[in-house]
Structures are given as structure tokens and as C-alpha cells.
Amino acid sequence: MEVKEARQYVVDKLDYAFKPSSIGVIGASRNERKVGFKVIQGLRKSGYDGEIYPINIKATEVAGLPAYKSILDVPAEIDLAFIALPAPRVFDAIKECVAKKVKIGVVSSSGFKEIGNGDLQNEITEYCRENEFPLIGPNLVGIGTPYHNFNCGFIPYLPNKGPVALISQSGSNLLAALGSSQVDHFGISMFVGLGNKADVDFCEMIKYADKEPNTRCIAVYIEALDSPEAFKKACLECEKPITVIKVGASKIGVKAAFAHTASENRGHTNEEYDKLFEESGVMRENTWQEFLDTSLALGNCPPLRGDNVVMITNGGGAGLLACDHFERLGMPLHELKEISPELKSNIRSYMPDFGSPLNPVDISGTATSDMYGGALRTAYRDENVDGIMISVCPTAVTDVDAITETFIASHKQYKNLGKPIIRECQGGRECREAIMKLRDNGIPAFATAEQAVNAMFALRRYSQIMNQKEELIKKAQAAEAAKNAEEEVNA
């Protein structure tokens, strides 16, 4: 349901959703296969140390905890209510939450607008708004943050800690990202499934993530926007980078999105969304992999302030893949002599005679960690270099682990210079391990040249958005003023 702009009471109360000191699980179950049991199990497994109050009308004990027939019977204050009941019983549970003065609610139950039961969903939403009781959902998989050992829903595990706030309408894609976090060391600060987003909207989650201290990038999966103007306003006011993936643009995708999360895309074409995202100062990605890679780069790196990127590699083929992709994206690499007069000769001293000091800089297949370290330090120290991309291809003489350690040490020494650095390592197990180690140290690292180039290009796009932000805000304010004036005339 539409909101005009992010409501401050919602933004304020979201703290109780991500960092609650007490939780009432309405619909708690003794059946280990039910959501009402999995919620309690997940909270315990994640290390949640707050109070858990199972609510079950027929039980006196659930999962070893005293159970209550109603949330009104709990002899303590409750921050968050997680509701896992059949759709027809949800409204009564919410009314009891309001009477109990619970701070905020999450509804995992399906069976609302996505199956044509829109009247009930709208009635619940209106009641929640009248009583300033923020409701997340319904039809969602869960919510949590690894920084507070909090996993609330039917999600099997917490993600690795990191800088990316993940806001998703889709439960399955949220789970996919959480899985990527564990397997690929994709660090997440907080996560939430919005499902049908009957009440709490994208704009409010974005405003909250912007002030969340562990978040440095906001990644948003969208099936439809009920409140595009509120979304735009929240994004323009946000100080952190935002990347989005918007799905459901295909002919059959419009129907699938409605059946999935009651998302309505009628009257909102793909081109209109492109325009909205551009006016909102956010970056739109087309594929899931690009969405994850861009989020990883934005969450770990400063913006790329200029086009002078130096690539250092020990494999000519990797360099060619990269420079061709840079050119396809409209950001071709410049030769070292075009970047800085002394850069070519300075880097030359860290490679054999048969190396190539152009750009990409090919320091040859016999490159050592010392050679990589010298070339890297040279690029860092040159004031005309805006960003650095390193590629490592394992040969029989390549010590991938030593090069990785050199890379991490240089990054720690020079990261205060504000130059983004990205690594690509194409190969087998040693490269996979190097990528994970680099990501654990806050350095975006990828298995292909194209991924690394896309990540660097995203940092350039974000820098350009930052430069345009003031103008975008002025345009949005002018459009809003014109709209208000027109409404007054028509009134």
C-alpha cells in the first residue's frame, strides 16, 4: 500500500525489528517441521540472547520454553512480534499486539493479496497505520543481522558479517544471497524479506539502513514499487551507495511477480523504472551476479574519482579480456605514459625486460610477490592513478598465497589514499582460497576479468552519481513543488 514518504515512526521502530531485546512468537509450534518451531530454533542457533515468548493457544510449553495462550498474557514488554499463523487469524493477533503495545510486527504467513485476498491485507494495513504499529510482510522468509546474532524466520543460517544491507521482496533470492555470503564470503550487515510489503515500504528500510552503523552499501531486490516518489526521496536523502535489481519486466514476469508477492507492474514499464532509478541516484543491475558483485565493490571500496585505472597482471590474456571489457563499457584503459610521465619507468623497474609496461601492465608469468608489491606501491603512490586492478594467473612459479599477503599488506598501508583496488584471480583452488582471504580483508576479489571490470566500473558510476546528487535533489524538489501547486489549483 502506498506511502507518500518514509514515516519517521516506522524508521525509528525498525531498531526493534533488527535488535529486539524480546520476541513474541505467535503461532509457536511443537512440530519441528513448522515455521513456528523453526523461528525459535533459528533464534537459539544464531546465539540470540534476548527473551523468547512462545504464543500457542493449546500448549503450556514449546521448545523447552513456557508458552502463553495470548501475547496479552506475557508478563513483560515485547519489542517484536513474529506472527506465523494462518492468514484468517493474523488480524486478531495484530490487534492483541497493539493492545499489548508491542513495538513492531513481522508476518511470515502467506494467503493475502498474492492469492487475491487483497481486502484483508488492506484492512490490516490500515489498522496498523492508524495505530502506528509497523508491520513487515506478510508472506516473507525472515529478518536478521549477524552483528547482533539475530536470525528471525525460517532461514537456515546467518550470513558472514560485512558491509552490505540486503533488502529483498523475494525470499528465495534472499536465501541465495545468504548462502553466497557463507560460501563466497559475501559480507552482509543486515537482511530482510519484505514479501508483500503491505505496510513497511522500501523507502523506510532504505532510511534505516542508511543510519545502520555496519552498513556501507544498500542492495535492494525489487519486484514492484507501490510508492515510487517515496522511494526516490529516500534514495536521494541517503548518504550510502544503493544498487538495485528490478525484475518482473517480461510479459509473463508481470503475472509471476503478482502471484509471488502481489507486486503490480501495470503502468510501470521497464523504461519508466530506468528513468526513476536514474532520477533517484541509484544503480540498476540487470543480472543477479552483477547485483552481488556491484554490492561487494560498493560496500568495500571508495568511489573511483577518475578514469585512470592501472591494471597489473602476470597474464597477457587476462589483461586483454579486461581491457576489451573496459572499452565495451565506455571506460577504456589509458597507457601509463598518458596517466603520468614517470609511471611507466617507475613500474618498469619491477618487471623483467620481456615484460610489457603499457596498460595492462604485464609483469610476466615469472612475477614474484616482490614484483607485484613494487608495482602496486608505485601505482598507489602516483597521484594521477585513480584506481588499481590486479590480476593473478597461477603458473608453476607463481606463489599465489605470497602475492595475496603482499596485496593485503599494501592495501592496509595505502587505503587511506582513497583509491579503490580490486583483484581478479583466475585459476583453481589456490585462487579460490585467495579470493576468500581477500574478501575477508575488505578487498573485492573475483574469479573472472569481466566481474572485476564490472566492479571497478560500478565504482566509477557511483562517483558520477555523487557528483550529480545535488542537481538530482534540486530537480526532485522542483517537481514536487510543481505537483503540489497543481494539486492546490485543482482543489
Side-chain angles (χ1 to χ4, degrees), residues 322-342:
C323 63
D324 281 1
H325 196 45
F326 269 119
E327 191 150 326
R328 278 194 293 271
L329 295 174
M331 197 178 90
L333 293 177
H334 306 295
E335 288 192 38
L336 298 189
K337 64 182 181 181
E338 297 172 356
I339 295 174
S340 182
E342 298 178 355

Side-chain angles (χ1 to χ4, degrees), residues 181-199:
S181 176
Q182 288 206 331
V183 174
D184 298 326
H185 295 210
F186 174 80
I188 291 174
S189 58
M190 52 171 273
F191 60 88
V192 60
L194 287 182
N196 292 9
K197 57 178 179 60
D199 179 37

Side-chain angles (χ1 to χ4, degrees), residues 135-151:
L135 184 69
I136 303 171
N139 186 25
L140 60 79
V141 69
I143 182 171
T145 167
Y147 286 96
H148 296 277
N149 299 321
F150 178 58
N151 176 15

Side-chain angles (χ1 to χ4, degrees), residues 85-273:
L85 293 170
R89 294 173 55 195
V90 168
F91 200 176
D92 286 340
I94 288 173
K95 289 176 181 177
E96 290 186 350
C97 288
V98 170
K100 179 66 178 175
K101 297 184 179 179
V102 176
K103 308 296 192 307
I104 193 166
V106 171
V107 177
S108 66
S109 319
S110 54
F112 291 92
K113 190 175 180 180
E114 80 280 2
I115 63 163
N117 203 358
D119 288 344
L120 175 59
Q121 179 172 306
N122 291 339
E123 188 179 2
I124 289 172
T125 302
E126 288 171 0
Y127 176 83
C128 289
R129 292 182 177 181
E130 286 170 4
N131 289 277
E132 294 194 354
F133 178 72
L135 184 69
I136 303 171
N139 186 25
L140 60 79
V141 69
I143 182 171
T145 167
Y147 286 96
H148 296 277
N149 299 321
F150 178 58
N151 176 15
C152 190
F154 49 110
I155 293 169
Y157 38 65
L158 278 173
N160 284 15
K161 292 178 181 178
V164 179
L166 190 61
I167 302 167
S168 174
Q169 271 191 276
S170 165
S172 62
N173 285 333
L174 176 61
L175 289 167
L178 300 181
S180 292
S181 176
Q182 288 206 331
V183 174
D184 298 326
H185 295 210
F186 174 80
I188 291 174
S189 58
M190 52 171 273
F191 60 88
V192 60
L194 287 182
N196 292 9
K197 57 178 179 60
D199 179 37
V200 176
D201 190 74
F202 284 117
C203 61
E204 288 143 349
M205 281 293 175
I206 289 169
K207 295 281 283 186
Y208 177 79
D210 190 38
K211 69 173 187 175
E212 203 282 321
N214 298 300
T215 296
R216 295 199 297 273
C217 169
I218 303 168
V220 189
Y221 169 94
I222 300 170
E223 295 189 358
L225 288 172
D226 298 320
S227 311
E229 291 304 315
F231 174 86
K232 182 198 295 187
K233 188 173 189 295
C235 291
L236 288 174
E237 291 173 351
C238 185
E239 295 181 359
K240 297 172 182 176
I242 302 171
T243 183
V244 304
I245 184 167
K246 165 66 181 72
V247 299
S250 58
K251 185 176 180 180
I252 198 166
V254 170
K255 295 181 179 179
F258 184 86
H260 183 214
T261 54
S263 297
E264 297 185 82
N265 281 293
R266 297 180 186 87
H268 299 285
T269 66
N270 210 30
E271 291 73 22
E272 286 171 325
Y273 271 110

